[in-house]
Amino acid sequence: MAAAVAAIGQASQSADIVTPRTLRRQMSWPFKARSPNWKDFDRDLTEEWRRAEFSLHKKRVIINVSGQRFETQLETLRRFPDTLLGNPEKLSKYYDPVRMEYFFDRHRPSAEAILTFYQTGGLLKRPLEVPVDVFTEELRFFEMGEGNIDSFRYQEGYVKKQPVEKPKSDLREKIWRITEDPKSSWIAKHFSYTSVFFILLSACVASLETLSDYIGELSTIETRFTNPFFILEIGVTTWFVLEIALRMAGIVNKKAYGRSCLGVLDIMAVLPLFFNVIAMLAIRDAQTLHTVLRCTRMLRALRILKLSRHSRGLKLMGKTLAGSLSDIAMLLGFMAILIVLFAAGIFFVEESDSDSHFRSIPEAFWWALVTMVTLGYGDMYPQTPGGKFVGSVCALAGILTVALPVPVIVTNFDTMYNLQEEEPTTDEEKEE
């Protein structure tokens, strides 16, 4: 008899049968303040509990991915209605009425990360054991959105190429590929090599002109237009003009090319020759002409920056510096503050010394800057014990200040270096 009663009790607990005794045991806290009132148990709660349980199960959804079952709520999936799991119409195609679940024959390890995306409100992270391409395919199947996919691939080190408007005519497209894509053909490769050769030749010519044996040949009236440096400059500029003409013939958006940094460098590369010719024709005084040619020689030295078109390393360095402008500005700000402080300190400490090199605070700015970057030219140096102490502190402060933004700049360079450009995948991106 006792065994039967125990069996009935276990069965009642497993079947969740509600009795007054069970309710009184589970809800004994109302009776602590007052005496039991059996009217509280007059209502039949079985139907209400059944409705609540049905409503709770109605809000739940079971997702089966290749045998691995996940259970979540519909409200969680509907946070992103544009996705496959968040759209009831798209999701209904995969419903199994027999098992009352949604079945997907997809990659199981990726499914948990995709479900976490819904539960966390948009946090997408790839499992370490899943390859990037496999996880990307799963994201595209579940329609997670191109924005989320692009953001994920950017974190993984992939970036899409910017769409470039190509010419429609065949001839212009060939010219565009020759000037912009060195890997497209052997003609484009040799065109790139020739451009690099003339850039280096221009830098060599501008440097050799400053030698003491040749520095006056361009200023002398008799040898202005006959010396070999001027003839080489004509040849270099002719190539740069031809290069600009070919680029303008192949590029569709000419305004964007003219506003770009490389376009500005191309235009600046051809201007020095015309300035030199005008100056040599209009100016008769050798000293005045020498001053003008010295200024144009500085513009010719900027042609070396044209190598960034043909060097991935220079492009990365430019992008890194452009992305680290805030850190560089912070460094310059700290340096300026410390320069003023240490220049004032060294001046007042060394002012009492008759042989002091620091005659004013502005003159001490140079010493503070050179000391902080640990150059130490030796033209200005402290002589008193107090000045040497200030100089030591200035050197240590400079090392710490310069070292602060360096890890950030290195991290930006490493990020840019690891980025891999990939071709557009969708038809719309290819048409652009």
Side-chain angles (χ1 to χ4, degrees):
M1 186 66 180
V5 172
I8 293 174
Q10 292 178 359
S12 63
Q13 290 180 1
S14 61
D16 292 337
I17 299 176
V18 180
T19 60
R21 179 178 298 177
T22 303
L23 289 176
R24 184 174 60 184
R25 184 176 65 253
Q26 296 178 353
M27 305 176 60
S28 60
W29 59 270
F31 305 103
K32 294 181 180 179
R34 59 185 177 85
S35 57
N37 188 359
W38 292 104
K39 292 182 179 180
D40 296 334
F41 307 102
D42 286 347
R43 296 184 297 110
D44 186 7
L45 300 179
T46 305
E47 186 64 24
E48 294 185 10
W49 282 31
R50 189 176 299 167
R51 291 178 181 177
E53 184 178 1
F54 176 76
S55 177
L56 181 62
H57 281 283
K58 188 178 180 181
K59 294 180 180 179
R60 293 181 183 178
V61 59
I62 299 176
I63 300 174
N64 189 335
V65 181
S66 299
Q68 186 174 4
R69 305 180 72 195
F70 301 93
E71 188 173 356
T72 184
Q73 294 184 354
L74 286 175
E75 296 179 357
T76 303
L77 300 179
R78 289 175 183 175
R79 294 176 181 176
F80 301 93
D82 296 332
T83 59
L84 175 60
L85 297 179
N87 192 325
E89 296 181 0
K90 298 178 180 179
L91 189 61
S92 60
K93 300 178 182 178
Y94 303 92
Y95 185 70
D96 184 0
V98 178
R99 295 177 176 269
M100 292 187 296
E101 63 184 17
Y102 297 93
F103 179 78
F104 297 92
D105 188 13
R106 304 298 301 183
H107 192 246
R108 285 187 294 180
S110 303
E112 186 174 358
I114 294 175
L115 184 60
T116 306
F117 172 83
Y118 293 90
Q119 295 172 342
T120 57
L123 181 60
L124 189 61
K125 189 173 182 180
R126 174 183 63 91
L128 297 178
E129 69 276 9
V130 180
V132 177
D133 295 337
V134 174
F135 192 68
T136 303
E137 290 299 325
E138 294 301 312
L139 295 179
R140 290 199 174 100
F141 173 81
F142 286 100
E143 301 179 11
M144 304 303 292
E146 288 299 325
N148 295 324
I149 296 176
D150 293 342
S151 177
F152 155 72
R153 292 188 69 83
Y154 182 82
Q155 295 176 0
E156 295 290 340
Y158 294 86
V159 60
K160 285 187 177 180
K161 288 184 178 180
Q162 295 295 332
V164 180
E165 189 176 1
K166 299 180 181 179
K168 297 181 179 180
S169 63
D170 295 338
L171 179 60
R172 292 185 62 188
E173 185 176 357
K174 290 181 180 179
I175 296 175
W176 178 82
R177 291 191 178 278
I178 290 174
T179 57
E180 300 296 333
D181 189 6
K183 299 180 180 179
S184 59
S185 63
W186 68 270
I187 299 178
K189 183 182 294 185
H190 284 79
F191 179 86
S192 177
Y193 290 159
T194 306
S195 179
V196 172
F197 169 75
F198 277 103
I199 293 172
L200 297 178
L201 178 62
S202 173
C204 294
V205 171
S207 301
L208 292 176
E209 284 181 4
T210 59
L211 294 176
S212 58
D213 297 336
Y214 310 108
I215 194 169
E217 292 192 8
L218 289 176
S219 303
T220 306
I221 298 177
E222 292 79 8
T223 60
R224 286 184 180 180
F225 299 99
T226 58
N227 68 85
F229 295 113
F230 184 74
I231 297 174
L232 288 174
E233 180 65 18
I234 292 177
V236 169
T237 306
T238 302
W239 169 259
F240 289 154
V241 172
L242 177 63
E243 184 179 357
I244 292 178
L246 291 176
R247 294 187 187 280
M248 293 295 289
I251 293 177
V252 177
N253 194 348
K254 296 178 176 58
K255 291 183 178 180
Y257 167 72
R259 296 173 182 175
S260 63
C261 295
L262 295 177
V264 173
L265 288 175
D266 291 340
I267 296 174
M268 291 179 61
V270 303
L271 294 179
L273 176 63
F274 299 101
F275 291 158
N276 289 348
V277 172
I278 294 173
M280 287 187 292
L281 291 174
I283 301 174
R284 294 296 179 181
D285 183 46
Q287 186 64 29
T288 305
L289 179 60
H290 178 70
T291 304
V292 175
L293 295 179
R294 184 171 55 188
C295 296
T296 58
R297 193 175 292 116
M298 183 62 193
L299 291 177
R300 291 161 60 189
L302 295 178
R303 292 173 178 173
I304 198 69
L305 297 178
K306 286 171 59 67
L307 289 175
S308 60
R309 186 191 299 275
H310 311 279
S311 174
R312 180 172 179 261
L314 292 177
K315 290 181 181 179
L316 291 175
M317 184 59 66
K319 292 180 180 179
T320 301
L321 295 178
S324 307
L325 289 179
S326 59
D327 304 303
I328 296 175
M330 179 185 65
L331 170 63
L332 295 178
F334 286 162
M335 291 286 289
I337 294 173
L338 293 177
I339 286 173
V340 173
L341 292 177
F342 286 111
I346 198 66
F347 171 73
F348 288 111
V349 171
E350 293 282 321
E351 186 180 11
S352 59
D353 191 359
S354 58
D355 298 331
S356 175
H357 298 280
F358 308 97
R359 300 176 182 176
S360 63
I361 293 179
E363 291 183 1
F365 287 165
W366 168 252
W367 169 85
L369 176 61
V370 171
T371 304
M372 290 184 65
V373 296
T374 65
L375 285 175
Y377 287 118
D379 53 344
M380 300 174 66
Y381 53 89
Q383 301 181 23
T384 63
K388 294 178 181 179
F389 175 77
V390 174
S392 302
V393 177
C394 179
L396 294 175
I399 294 174
L400 295 176
T401 304
V402 173
L404 284 177
V406 169
V408 180
I409 298 176
V410 173
T411 302
N412 292 340
F413 180 83
D414 184 65
T415 302
M416 294 292 180
Y417 185 81
N418 292 327
L419 288 179
Q420 304 178 35
E421 290 188 344
E422 54 183 356
E423 298 292 340
T425 53
T426 62
D427 295 336
E428 296 180 357
E429 293 173 350
K430 292 180 180 179
E431 291 176 359
E432 292 179 359

PDB file of all heavy atoms in Angstrom, residues 53-79:
ATOM      1  N   GLU A  53       1.320  27.005 -20.667  1.00  0.00           N
ATOM      2  CA  GLU A  53       2.339  26.126 -21.213  1.00  0.00           C
ATOM      3  C   GLU A  53       2.265  26.097 -22.737  1.00  0.00           C
ATOM      4  O   GLU A  53       3.296  26.108 -23.429  1.00  0.00           O
ATOM      5  CB  GLU A  53       2.137  24.718 -20.649  1.00  0.00           C
ATOM      6  CG  GLU A  53       3.233  23.741 -21.083  1.00  0.00           C
ATOM      7  CD  GLU A  53       3.035  22.367 -20.466  1.00  0.00           C
ATOM      8  OE1 GLU A  53       2.034  22.202 -19.733  1.00  0.00           O
ATOM      9  OE2 GLU A  53       3.866  21.478 -20.741  1.00  0.00           O
ATOM     10  N   PHE A  54       1.056  26.109 -23.296  1.00  0.00           N
ATOM     11  CA  PHE A  54       0.907  26.123 -24.751  1.00  0.00           C
ATOM     12  C   PHE A  54       1.446  27.429 -25.351  1.00  0.00           C
ATOM     13  O   PHE A  54       2.109  27.424 -26.383  1.00  0.00           O
ATOM     14  CB  PHE A  54      -0.575  25.945 -25.110  1.00  0.00           C
ATOM     15  CG  PHE A  54      -0.844  26.053 -26.583  1.00  0.00           C
ATOM     16  CD1 PHE A  54      -0.524  24.999 -27.435  1.00  0.00           C
ATOM     17  CD2 PHE A  54      -1.397  27.204 -27.121  1.00  0.00           C
ATOM     18  CE1 PHE A  54      -0.772  25.102 -28.795  1.00  0.00           C
ATOM     19  CE2 PHE A  54      -1.640  27.303 -28.468  1.00  0.00           C
ATOM     20  CZ  PHE A  54      -1.334  26.241 -29.307  1.00  0.00           C
ATOM     21  N   SER A  55       1.155  28.537 -24.665  1.00  0.00           N
ATOM     22  CA  SER A  55       1.662  29.829 -25.153  1.00  0.00           C
ATOM     23  C   SER A  55       3.178  29.878 -25.096  1.00  0.00           C
ATOM     24  O   SER A  55       3.831  30.420 -26.003  1.00  0.00           O
ATOM     25  CB  SER A  55       1.079  30.968 -24.312  1.00  0.00           C
ATOM     26  OG  SER A  55       1.595  32.211 -24.720  1.00  0.00           O
ATOM     27  N   LEU A  56       3.769  29.294 -24.029  1.00  0.00           N
ATOM     28  CA  LEU A  56       5.229  29.299 -23.919  1.00  0.00           C
ATOM     29  C   LEU A  56       5.865  28.444 -25.020  1.00  0.00           C
ATOM     30  O   LEU A  56       6.849  28.829 -25.634  1.00  0.00           O
ATOM     31  CB  LEU A  56       5.637  28.780 -22.541  1.00  0.00           C
ATOM     32  CG  LEU A  56       7.143  28.746 -22.247  1.00  0.00           C
ATOM     33  CD1 LEU A  56       7.721  30.155 -22.305  1.00  0.00           C
ATOM     34  CD2 LEU A  56       7.398  28.113 -20.888  1.00  0.00           C
ATOM     35  N   HIS A  57       5.273  27.283 -25.283  1.00  0.00           N
ATOM     36  CA  HIS A  57       5.815  26.425 -26.329  1.00  0.00           C
ATOM     37  C   HIS A  57       5.574  27.010 -27.711  1.00  0.00           C
ATOM     38  O   HIS A  57       6.354  26.773 -28.636  1.00  0.00           O
ATOM     39  CB  HIS A  57       5.180  25.027 -26.244  1.00  0.00           C
ATOM     40  CG  HIS A  57       5.780  24.181 -25.162  1.00  0.00           C
ATOM     41  ND1 HIS A  57       6.997  23.558 -25.289  1.00  0.00           N
ATOM     42  CD2 HIS A  57       5.318  23.872 -23.916  1.00  0.00           C
ATOM     43  CE1 HIS A  57       7.266  22.883 -24.169  1.00  0.00           C
ATOM     44  NE2 HIS A  57       6.258  23.064 -23.317  1.00  0.00           N
ATOM     45  N   LYS A  58       4.529  27.790 -27.831  1.00  0.00           N
ATOM     46  CA  LYS A  58       4.237  28.417 -29.115  1.00  0.00           C
ATOM     47  C   LYS A  58       5.294  29.456 -29.474  1.00  0.00           C
ATOM     48  O   LYS A  58       5.587  29.681 -30.641  1.00  0.00           O
ATOM     49  CB  LYS A  58       2.850  29.050 -29.071  1.00  0.00           C
ATOM     50  CG  LYS A  58       2.383  29.563 -30.424  1.00  0.00           C
ATOM     51  CD  LYS A  58       0.973  30.130 -30.310  1.00  0.00           C
ATOM     52  CE  LYS A  58       0.499  30.643 -31.674  1.00  0.00           C
ATOM     53  NZ  LYS A  58      -0.864  31.217 -31.575  1.00  0.00           N
ATOM     54  N   LYS A  59       5.892  30.113 -28.487  1.00  0.00           N
ATOM     55  CA  LYS A  59       6.903  31.128 -28.719  1.00  0.00           C
ATOM     56  C   LYS A  59       8.280  30.526 -28.955  1.00  0.00           C
ATOM     57  O   LYS A  59       9.183  31.228 -29.387  1.00  0.00           O
ATOM     58  CB  LYS A  59       6.969  32.086 -27.530  1.00  0.00           C
ATOM     59  CG  LYS A  59       5.708  32.916 -27.346  1.00  0.00           C
ATOM     60  CD  LYS A  59       5.839  33.843 -26.154  1.00  0.00           C
ATOM     61  CE  LYS A  59       4.577  34.663 -25.966  1.00  0.00           C
ATOM     62  NZ  LYS A  59       4.669  35.569 -24.789  1.00  0.00           N
ATOM     63  N   ARG A  60       8.450  29.263 -28.671  1.00  0.00           N
ATOM     64  CA  ARG A  60       9.727  28.615 -28.866  1.00  0.00           C
ATOM     65  C   ARG A  60       9.819  28.041 -30.269  1.00  0.00           C
ATOM     66  O   ARG A  60       8.814  27.730 -30.890  1.00  0.00           O
ATOM     67  CB  ARG A  60       9.949  27.503 -27.835  1.00  0.00           C
ATOM     68  CG  ARG A  60      10.111  28.004 -26.419  1.00  0.00           C
ATOM     69  CD  ARG A  60      10.353  26.849 -25.481  1.00  0.00           C
ATOM     70  NE  ARG A  60      10.449  27.285 -24.100  1.00  0.00           N
ATOM     71  CZ  ARG A  60      10.622  26.469 -23.064  1.00  0.00           C
ATOM     72  NH1 ARG A  60      10.700  25.156 -23.264  1.00  0.00           N
ATOM     73  NH2 ARG A  60      10.696  26.951 -21.838  1.00  0.00           N
ATOM     74  N   VAL A  61      11.064  27.892 -30.740  1.00  0.00           N
ATOM     75  CA  VAL A  61      11.303  27.332 -32.058  1.00  0.00           C
ATOM     76  C   VAL A  61      12.541  26.447 -31.960  1.00  0.00           C
ATOM     77  O   VAL A  61      13.500  26.766 -31.260  1.00  0.00           O
ATOM     78  CB  VAL A  61      11.499  28.446 -33.110  1.00  0.00           C
ATOM     79  CG1 VAL A  61      12.668  29.350 -32.764  1.00  0.00           C
ATOM     80  CG2 VAL A  61      11.698  27.843 -34.490  1.00  0.00           C
ATOM     81  N   ILE A  62      12.491  25.319 -32.659  1.00  0.00           N
ATOM     82  CA  ILE A  62      13.587  24.356 -32.666  1.00  0.00           C
ATOM     83  C   ILE A  62      14.224  24.388 -34.053  1.00  0.00           C
ATOM     84  O   ILE A  62      13.526  24.223 -35.067  1.00  0.00           O
ATOM     85  CB  ILE A  62      13.107  22.940 -32.312  1.00  0.00           C
ATOM     86  CG1 ILE A  62      12.500  22.934 -30.901  1.00  0.00           C
ATOM     87  CG2 ILE A  62      14.242  21.941 -32.406  1.00  0.00           C
ATOM     88  CD1 ILE A  62      11.903  21.594 -30.509  1.00  0.00           C
ATOM     89  N   ILE A  63      15.512  24.573 -34.085  1.00  0.00           N
ATOM     90  CA  ILE A  63      16.274  24.623 -35.336  1.00  0.00           C
ATOM     91  C   ILE A  63      17.243  23.445 -35.332  1.00  0.00           C
ATOM     92  O   ILE A  63      18.062  23.307 -34.427  1.00  0.00           O
ATOM     93  CB  ILE A  63      17.033  25.951 -35.473  1.00  0.00           C
ATOM     94  CG1 ILE A  63      16.050  27.125 -35.456  1.00  0.00           C
ATOM     95  CG2 ILE A  63      17.868  25.977 -36.752  1.00  0.00           C
ATOM     96  CD1 ILE A  63      16.726  28.474 -35.439  1.00  0.00           C
ATOM     97  N   ASN A  64      17.138  22.616 -36.336  1.00  0.00           N
ATOM     98  CA  ASN A  64      17.980  21.433 -36.473  1.00  0.00           C
ATOM     99  C   ASN A  64      18.955  21.667 -37.626  1.00  0.00           C
ATOM    100  O   ASN A  64      18.538  21.829 -38.781  1.00  0.00           O
ATOM    101  CB  ASN A  64      17.122  20.196 -36.746  1.00  0.00           C
ATOM    102  CG  ASN A  64      17.923  18.909 -36.683  1.00  0.00           C
ATOM    103  OD1 ASN A  64      19.130  18.905 -36.888  1.00  0.00           O
ATOM    104  ND2 ASN A  64      17.235  17.807 -36.411  1.00  0.00           N
ATOM    105  N   VAL A  65      20.231  21.699 -37.308  1.00  0.00           N
ATOM    106  CA  VAL A  65      21.274  21.907 -38.320  1.00  0.00           C
ATOM    107  C   VAL A  65      22.098  20.626 -38.414  1.00  0.00           C
ATOM    108  O   VAL A  65      22.952  20.360 -37.556  1.00  0.00           O
ATOM    109  CB  VAL A  65      22.168  23.113 -37.967  1.00  0.00           C
ATOM    110  CG1 VAL A  65      23.241  23.321 -39.043  1.00  0.00           C
ATOM    111  CG2 VAL A  65      21.339  24.369 -37.803  1.00  0.00           C
ATOM    112  N   SER A  66      21.775  19.815 -39.422  1.00  0.00           N
ATOM    113  CA  SER A  66      22.505  18.555 -39.669  1.00  0.00           C
ATOM    114  C   SER A  66      22.554  17.667 -38.435  1.00  0.00           C
ATOM    115  O   SER A  66      23.581  17.062 -38.114  1.00  0.00           O
ATOM    116  CB  SER A  66      23.924  18.853 -40.167  1.00  0.00           C
ATOM    117  OG  SER A  66      23.893  19.563 -41.381  1.00  0.00           O
ATOM    118  N   GLY A  67      21.444  17.597 -37.697  1.00  0.00           N
ATOM    119  CA  GLY A  67      21.359  16.726 -36.532  1.00  0.00           C
ATOM    120  C   GLY A  67      21.604  17.422 -35.211  1.00  0.00           C
ATOM    121  O   GLY A  67      21.281  16.866 -34.162  1.00  0.00           O
ATOM    122  N   GLN A  68      22.152  18.605 -35.211  1.00  0.00           N
ATOM    123  CA  GLN A  68      22.374  19.342 -33.974  1.00  0.00           C
ATOM    124  C   GLN A  68      21.215  20.320 -33.769  1.00  0.00           C
ATOM    125  O   GLN A  68      20.966  21.179 -34.615  1.00  0.00           O
ATOM    126  CB  GLN A  68      23.701  20.100 -34.020  1.00  0.00           C
ATOM    127  CG  GLN A  68      24.063  20.780 -32.702  1.00  0.00           C
ATOM    128  CD  GLN A  68      25.448  21.392 -32.743  1.00  0.00           C
ATOM    129  OE1 GLN A  68      26.114  21.366 -33.782  1.00  0.00           O
ATOM    130  NE2 GLN A  68      25.880  21.933 -31.629  1.00  0.00           N
ATOM    131  N   ARG A  69      20.515  20.147 -32.659  1.00  0.00           N
ATOM    132  CA  ARG A  69      19.289  20.919 -32.408  1.00  0.00           C
ATOM    133  C   ARG A  69      19.596  22.119 -31.528  1.00  0.00           C
ATOM    134  O   ARG A  69      20.321  22.035 -30.541  1.00  0.00           O
ATOM    135  CB  ARG A  69      18.228  20.029 -31.764  1.00  0.00           C
ATOM    136  CG  ARG A  69      17.907  18.771 -32.562  1.00  0.00           C
ATOM    137  CD  ARG A  69      16.854  17.946 -31.858  1.00  0.00           C
ATOM    138  NE  ARG A  69      15.543  18.563 -31.937  1.00  0.00           N
ATOM    139  CZ  ARG A  69      14.507  18.218 -31.171  1.00  0.00           C
ATOM    140  NH1 ARG A  69      14.667  17.283 -30.240  1.00  0.00           N
ATOM    141  NH2 ARG A  69      13.347  18.806 -31.318  1.00  0.00           N
ATOM    142  N   PHE A  70      18.983  23.246 -31.920  1.00  0.00           N
ATOM    143  CA  PHE A  70      19.068  24.490 -31.148  1.00  0.00           C
ATOM    144  C   PHE A  70      17.648  24.947 -30.852  1.00  0.00           C
ATOM    145  O   PHE A  70      16.774  24.892 -31.722  1.00  0.00           O
ATOM    146  CB  PHE A  70      19.814  25.579 -31.926  1.00  0.00           C
ATOM    147  CG  PHE A  70      21.217  25.208 -32.311  1.00  0.00           C
ATOM    148  CD1 PHE A  70      21.490  24.633 -33.544  1.00  0.00           C
ATOM    149  CD2 PHE A  70      22.274  25.436 -31.436  1.00  0.00           C
ATOM    150  CE1 PHE A  70      22.783  24.293 -33.905  1.00  0.00           C
ATOM    151  CE2 PHE A  70      23.566  25.097 -31.785  1.00  0.00           C
ATOM    152  CZ  PHE A  70      23.822  24.521 -33.018  1.00  0.00           C
ATOM    153  N   GLU A  71      17.434  25.393 -29.631  1.00  0.00           N
ATOM    154  CA  GLU A  71      16.119  25.861 -29.211  1.00  0.00           C
ATOM    155  C   GLU A  71      16.225  27.304 -28.756  1.00  0.00           C
ATOM    156  O   GLU A  71      17.056  27.653 -27.920  1.00  0.00           O
ATOM    157  CB  GLU A  71      15.571  24.992 -28.083  1.00  0.00           C
ATOM    158  CG  GLU A  71      14.118  25.309 -27.736  1.00  0.00           C
ATOM    159  CD  GLU A  71      13.532  24.321 -26.742  1.00  0.00           C
ATOM    160  OE1 GLU A  71      14.259  23.353 -26.389  1.00  0.00           O
ATOM    161  OE2 GLU A  71      12.384  24.517 -26.315  1.00  0.00           O
ATOM    162  N   THR A  72      15.368  28.142 -29.321  1.00  0.00           N
ATOM    163  CA  THR A  72      15.357  29.566 -28.970  1.00  0.00           C
ATOM    164  C   THR A  72      13.931  30.082 -29.104  1.00  0.00           C
ATOM    165  O   THR A  72      12.998  29.302 -29.370  1.00  0.00           O
ATOM    166  CB  THR A  72      16.314  30.364 -29.884  1.00  0.00           C
ATOM    167  OG1 THR A  72      16.341  31.727 -29.458  1.00  0.00           O
ATOM    168  CG2 THR A  72      15.881  30.297 -31.331  1.00  0.00           C
ATOM    169  N   GLN A  73      13.751  31.365 -28.926  1.00  0.00           N
ATOM    170  CA  GLN A  73      12.424  31.976 -29.013  1.00  0.00           C
ATOM    171  C   GLN A  73      12.290  32.736 -30.316  1.00  0.00           C
ATOM    172  O   GLN A  73      13.267  33.245 -30.887  1.00  0.00           O
ATOM    173  CB  GLN A  73      12.190  32.913 -27.834  1.00  0.00           C
ATOM    174  CG  GLN A  73      12.133  32.194 -26.496  1.00  0.00           C
ATOM    175  CD  GLN A  73      11.792  33.139 -25.365  1.00  0.00           C
ATOM    176  OE1 GLN A  73      11.703  34.346 -25.553  1.00  0.00           O
ATOM    177  NE2 GLN A  73      11.594  32.595 -24.168  1.00  0.00           N
ATOM    178  N   LEU A  74      11.041  32.837 -30.770  1.00  0.00           N
ATOM    179  CA  LEU A  74      10.782  33.566 -32.002  1.00  0.00           C
ATOM    180  C   LEU A  74      11.135  35.039 -31.876  1.00  0.00           C
ATOM    181  O   LEU A  74      11.571  35.672 -32.845  1.00  0.00           O
ATOM    182  CB  LEU A  74       9.307  33.421 -32.390  1.00  0.00           C
ATOM    183  CG  LEU A  74       8.889  32.055 -32.950  1.00  0.00           C
ATOM    184  CD1 LEU A  74       7.384  32.015 -33.172  1.00  0.00           C
ATOM    185  CD2 LEU A  74       9.622  31.763 -34.248  1.00  0.00           C
ATOM    186  N   GLU A  75      10.942  35.596 -30.696  1.00  0.00           N
ATOM    187  CA  GLU A  75      11.278  37.006 -30.501  1.00  0.00           C
ATOM    188  C   GLU A  75      12.772  37.259 -30.715  1.00  0.00           C
ATOM    189  O   GLU A  75      13.179  38.317 -31.204  1.00  0.00           O
ATOM    190  CB  GLU A  75      10.862  37.453 -29.101  1.00  0.00           C
ATOM    191  CG  GLU A  75       9.361  37.400 -28.867  1.00  0.00           C
ATOM    192  CD  GLU A  75       8.996  37.837 -27.456  1.00  0.00           C
ATOM    193  OE1 GLU A  75       9.938  38.109 -26.668  1.00  0.00           O
ATOM    194  OE2 GLU A  75       7.801  37.890 -27.149  1.00  0.00           O
ATOM    195  N   THR A  76      13.593  36.283 -30.345  1.00  0.00           N
ATOM    196  CA  THR A  76      15.037  36.431 -30.559  1.00  0.00           C
ATOM    197  C   THR A  76      15.372  36.479 -32.033  1.00  0.00           C
ATOM    198  O   THR A  76      16.203  37.291 -32.480  1.00  0.00           O
ATOM    199  CB  THR A  76      15.785  35.282 -29.879  1.00  0.00           C
ATOM    200  OG1 THR A  76      15.458  35.249 -28.487  1.00  0.00           O
ATOM    201  CG2 THR A  76      17.290  35.449 -30.028  1.00  0.00           C
ATOM    202  N   LEU A  77      14.731  35.622 -32.828  1.00  0.00           N
ATOM    203  CA  LEU A  77      15.019  35.590 -34.260  1.00  0.00           C
ATOM    204  C   LEU A  77      14.459  36.812 -34.979  1.00  0.00           C
ATOM    205  O   LEU A  77      15.036  37.270 -35.971  1.00  0.00           O
ATOM    206  CB  LEU A  77      14.454  34.313 -34.879  1.00  0.00           C
ATOM    207  CG  LEU A  77      14.994  32.990 -34.324  1.00  0.00           C
ATOM    208  CD1 LEU A  77      14.320  31.815 -35.011  1.00  0.00           C
ATOM    209  CD2 LEU A  77      16.508  32.908 -34.498  1.00  0.00           C
ATOM    210  N   ARG A  78      13.350  37.327 -34.484  1.00  0.00           N
ATOM    211  CA  ARG A  78      12.712  38.463 -35.159  1.00  0.00           C
ATOM    212  C   ARG A  78      13.405  39.798 -34.882  1.00  0.00           C
ATOM    213  O   ARG A  78      12.932  40.838 -35.343  1.00  0.00           O
ATOM    214  CB  ARG A  78      11.243  38.537 -34.736  1.00  0.00           C
ATOM    215  CG  ARG A  78      10.410  37.397 -35.329  1.00  0.00           C
ATOM    216  CD  ARG A  78       8.997  37.388 -34.818  1.00  0.00           C
ATOM    217  NE  ARG A  78       8.261  36.245 -35.368  1.00  0.00           N
ATOM    218  CZ  ARG A  78       7.013  35.932 -35.010  1.00  0.00           C
ATOM    219  NH1 ARG A  78       6.375  36.674 -34.097  1.00  0.00           N
ATOM    220  NH2 ARG A  78       6.411  34.894 -35.562  1.00  0.00           N
ATOM    221  N   ARG A  79      14.504  39.763 -34.143  1.00  0.00           N
ATOM    222  CA  ARG A  79      15.279  40.998 -33.978  1.00  0.00           C
ATOM    223  C   ARG A  79      15.901  41.451 -35.292  1.00  0.00           C
ATOM    224  O   ARG A  79      16.176  42.634 -35.471  1.00  0.00           O
ATOM    225  CB  ARG A  79      16.384  40.774 -32.937  1.00  0.00           C
ATOM    226  CG  ARG A  79      15.877  40.516 -31.532  1.00  0.00           C
ATOM    227  CD  ARG A  79      17.044  40.221 -30.601  1.00  0.00           C
ATOM    228  NE  ARG A  79      16.590  39.935 -29.247  1.00  0.00           N
ATOM    229  CZ  ARG A  79      17.403  39.569 -28.243  1.00  0.00           C
ATOM    230  NH1 ARG A  79      18.708  39.450 -28.472  1.00  0.00           N
ATOM    231  NH2 ARG A  79      16.913  39.322 -27.046  1.00  0.00           N
TER     232      ARG A  79
END
